Amino acid sequence: MASQEEKQAQSFADIFDEDEAEKSFLLSKPICMLILGKPGSGKKTLARKLAQVWKCIFIEASEVIQLNIREETEYGLKCQELLFKGQSVSEELVTEMILKRLESPEVAHFGYVLSGFPSLSEEYMTVSQQIEKIKNLKFKPDFLINIKCSDYDLCQRISGQRQHPDSGQVYQRNQWDPNVIVKHKKEKDQQEKESEEEEEESEEEVKEEEETAEDPLTMSEFLHQLVQRPEDMLENAEERIGTYKDIMLRPLEDWMAEQDSQYLIELDGNQQPDDLFMVTSDTNSICCYCCFNKQDELFRVLSSYKLIAPRYRWRRSRWGQACPVALKEGDILMGDPDLAVRLAEFYTLYYCFMWCLYLLAFSSVLSFLGKMYVLSSPEALKTFTSNPRPYLLPPMPLPPCKVLVFGPSLSGRTTICNLIAEKYKGKV
């Protein structure tokens, strides 16, 4: 009889362990993507859009150089010195900055979208060596996205690019060439006559084209300002594509042949960037930041927020107002309510999670894992938001152990204190 009651009690037990689910997520690998393709195929444009939607870290040579210069790192100061002298940044320095960025705490938490690496230049490392570097990364790319385009179409696209010298903005032929714009308009008008069912859609397209026709890009006073860069000239574009095929194509094909087909995405480079983006994008993951000035205000506003799930309220972390970053360093510091951080995970019975973006005027609170954390300083807040995982995984963050050694004079208190501190890496 007792055994039947035990079985009945077990049948109503909750088989989903919240702590295990949280630990599983914290140990999970962030999504990482690598964009491949010929020069001018649109790798950077696609990578930037994917990073924006998936809230990954966008990694590309020029972006990494600008980031290091902006943050005045050791690499940034070297780059700035070279650029002031009119010299180009060496391939070795660029590669080191990219690899350093791939090992950053932000990448460990958010993941990355990498573009432009491996590079055509073999000044520092061969293409095969660059591929081996990527294979041996701590966070290897989960998806290889290869943009395919014929040499002729690619050369025509590159040679049709124009740049505005003041803004640096690059425009495609269909954005600045009036003949191409008119041609597209005629094609759309013809399609409108052939299909009456698509009449409403075609009217919307005509309106969009009329707006494009009135764009300043088509005006004569603006057109004469656009210039063609040397690398966009037809002969130079053909040379770059030829170099790509001679140096990089074979090693990349061998690498992609080894890749699991379900993690290899090949796209048609003749499509518009937005169409390519729709194939590869998913809006299920969006980062979320919001913040409040006082702790009472924090609880008040959170109480009015949409719940993670029915009857599932926002909660404190198990460390209350103690700062998790300070706990990791062996100190107990009470957090500042102005630096409150709440972490909220929206997950289903499977593994799906979703982060929402809210921007408030005063300050910001990071949403993740359904709990609220209070940080003790702006530096701790920056460290925690860049990658909270090391401060949440067992056995951290936990309050440090404090030992008091007392006894009569000359009993060896100092010696024991030093031995305990040495053994457990504590402070006397």
Side-chain angles (χ1 to χ4, degrees), residues 315-351:
R315 297 169 296 161
R316 291 175 181 264
S317 72
R318 67 188 69 178
W319 304 285
Q321 293 187 19
C323 174
V325 177
L327 291 176
K328 183 76 172 179
E329 297 172 353
D331 296 326
I332 297 180
L333 296 178
M334 293 298 103
D336 183 353
D338 291 340
L339 303 174
V341 175
R342 83 177 151 76
L343 301 171
E345 178 189 8
F346 300 171
Y347 52 85
T348 64
L349 291 179
Y350 302 98
Y351 57 89

Side-chain angles (χ1 to χ4, degrees), residues 35 38-47 115 147 154 157 273 276:
I35 313 297
K38 297 176 182 177
S41 58
K43 301 187 295 293
K44 186 174 179 179
T45 303
L46 178 60
S115 173
I147 304 177
L154 201 53
R157 181 195 303 175
L276 292 178

Side-chain angles (χ1 to χ4, degrees), residues 404-420 428:
L404 173 63
V405 179
F406 61 94
S409 178
L410 302 177
S411 62
R413 292 172 300 181
T414 304
T415 303
I416 293 178
C417 283
N418 290 331
L419 290 174
I420 293 176
V428 178

Side-chain angles (χ1 to χ4, degrees), residues 216-233:
L217 288 177
T218 61
M219 300 174 62
S220 58
E221 58 269 19
F222 187 84
L223 287 176
H224 77 276
Q225 299 179 13
L226 299 180
V227 296
Q228 186 178 31
R229 299 175 297 181
E231 60 267 28
D232 293 339
M233 293 181 179

Side-chain angles (χ1 to χ4, degrees), residues 331-389:
D331 296 326
I332 297 180
L333 296 178
M334 293 298 103
D336 183 353
D338 291 340
L339 303 174
V341 175
R342 83 177 151 76
L343 301 171
E345 178 189 8
F346 300 171
Y347 52 85
T348 64
L349 291 179
Y350 302 98
Y351 57 89
C352 186
F353 60 92
M354 184 174 178
W355 294 342
C356 304
L357 179 64
Y358 300 95
L359 295 178
L360 297 181
F362 302 105
S363 47
S364 80
V365 175
L366 175 65
S367 289
F368 183 78
L369 294 181
K371 297 173 185 173
M372 293 175 292
Y373 296 81
V374 188
L375 283 306
S376 58
S377 66
E379 293 76 16
L381 175 63
K382 181 179 179 181
T383 303
F384 192 74
T385 52
S386 65
N387 184 7
R389 300 184 188 216

Side-chain angles (χ1 to χ4, degrees), residues 79-117:
C79 294
Q80 205 166 18
E81 183 180 354
L82 291 171
L83 294 174
F84 282 155
K85 293 179 180 179
Q87 301 175 5
S88 59
V89 181
S90 65
E91 193 68 26
E92 179 180 1
L93 189 57
V94 173
T95 303
E96 289 179 358
M97 286 189 290
I98 290 176
L99 295 177
K100 184 75 173 178
R101 184 64 170 158
L102 289 169
E103 297 173 355
S104 64
E106 293 85 358
V107 166
H109 180 50
F110 294 104
Y112 64 82
V113 181
L114 177 60
S115 173
F117 190 81

